[in-house]
Amino acid sequence: MKLKITYPPVEKRKLQRRHFLRIIRWPVLFAVVMSPVVNYIIGGKAWSLIVLMSIYMAWSLVLSPDLVEYNRISQSIKLISFSCSLLAMIDFFLSPGWAIDVVPIVCFGGLVITGVLFFTDLDRQKQNMLPMLFLIVIAILGSIVGVSIWREKSGWPLIIMGATAGLLLLACIITLRGEFLRELKKRFHVK
């Protein structure tokens, strides 16, 4: 009896990538362990948390990206959310006072980029609408909470971010019409 192999052979490139990840894992783990130790020994501000977040960001975006949600909208939103989190951590732990203006501007840029990516290839990208809707909802809620908490500061970045998110949501609803609700039902379908 002769066995027939049904799986395709593993490509050489994938084997090299797996080997590279095995090698790079040890220096990354060393940096993850040593940065808090060095920060504790030296003292001062908690810069090691920013280093850890940066390592995690690089690992998850470049070295080991998602296999399931690997599309241009999801990866863009992941980059924007990591960037905003990293900026907020830098503001909180190292030099406070500027993130309330910078993070909404970065989020605004992310909304514009995801909107362009969504509307340039609408037929294929409407399947990837859910991550964009999460970003829109977070931007609207962040804008409302930010404007209500920080009234003494000029909240123009928060207002622009919220307005852009609202307009992007409205454009999605108008463009997709009935398909908008159908796509949402597909994503939240429960038997």
Side-chain angles (χ1 to χ4, degrees):
M1 182 168 118
K2 188 170 182 172
L3 295 175
K4 182 180 177 186
I5 298 175
T6 57
Y7 295 108
V10 180
E11 297 174 14
K12 185 177 181 181
R13 196 173 118 229
K14 288 184 181 181
L15 289 174
Q16 289 173 342
R17 178 169 165 58
R18 189 178 306 158
H19 184 65
F20 172 74
L21 286 176
R22 258 191 235 131
I23 292 171
I24 197 76
R25 180 179 301 143
W26 295 110
V28 168
L29 285 174
F30 182 74
V32 164
V33 170
M34 288 309 295
S35 65
V37 170
V38 170
N39 190 202
Y40 179 74
I41 291 171
I42 294 174
K45 296 182 178 182
W47 55 265
S48 62
L49 294 174
I50 286 101
V51 171
L52 294 175
M53 181 65 179
S54 302
I55 290 172
Y56 177 70
M57 182 176 165
W59 185 269
S60 121
L61 286 173
V62 178
L63 296 173
S64 181
D66 297 332
L67 297 177
V68 176
E69 286 290 324
Y70 192 72
N71 57 61
R72 58 189 189 165
I73 289 180
S74 295
Q75 293 304 307
S76 300
I77 291 173
K78 194 173 176 182
L79 175 67
I80 295 301
S81 61
F82 277 145
S83 300
C84 289
S85 301
L86 191 60
L87 288 170
M89 286 177 68
I90 291 170
D91 178 68
F92 185 76
F93 291 112
L94 296 181
S95 61
W98 52 269
I100 193 65
D101 294 326
V102 175
V103 171
I105 293 171
V106 172
C107 191
F108 164 77
L111 287 167
V112 170
I113 289 170
T114 55
V116 167
L117 291 174
F118 182 74
F119 287 112
T120 54
D121 190 12
L122 192 61
D123 291 333
R124 277 193 352 198
Q125 296 303 323
K126 66 183 171 186
Q127 305 171 46
N128 305 323
M129 183 175 66
L130 194 59
M132 187 176 72
L133 288 178
F134 281 142
L135 180 65
I136 289 171
V137 168
I138 288 172
I140 290 173
L141 291 176
S143 176
I144 291 169
V145 169
V147 167
S148 63
I149 290 177
W150 289 287
R151 291 182 185 213
E152 67 274 354
K153 287 192 144 213
S154 67
W156 68 267
L158 292 166
I159 294 169
I160 298 291
M161 178 185 70
T164 305
L167 288 173
L168 188 57
L169 179 63
L170 187 64
C172 286
I173 292 171
I174 290 172
T175 305
L176 296 175
R177 292 185 185 98
E179 289 184 54
F180 182 79
L181 291 176
R182 249 180 278 139
E183 288 295 327
L184 283 180
K185 285 179 185 176
K186 285 181 193 175
R187 303 298 170 239
F188 294 108
H189 180 68
V190 178
K191 287 188 176 184

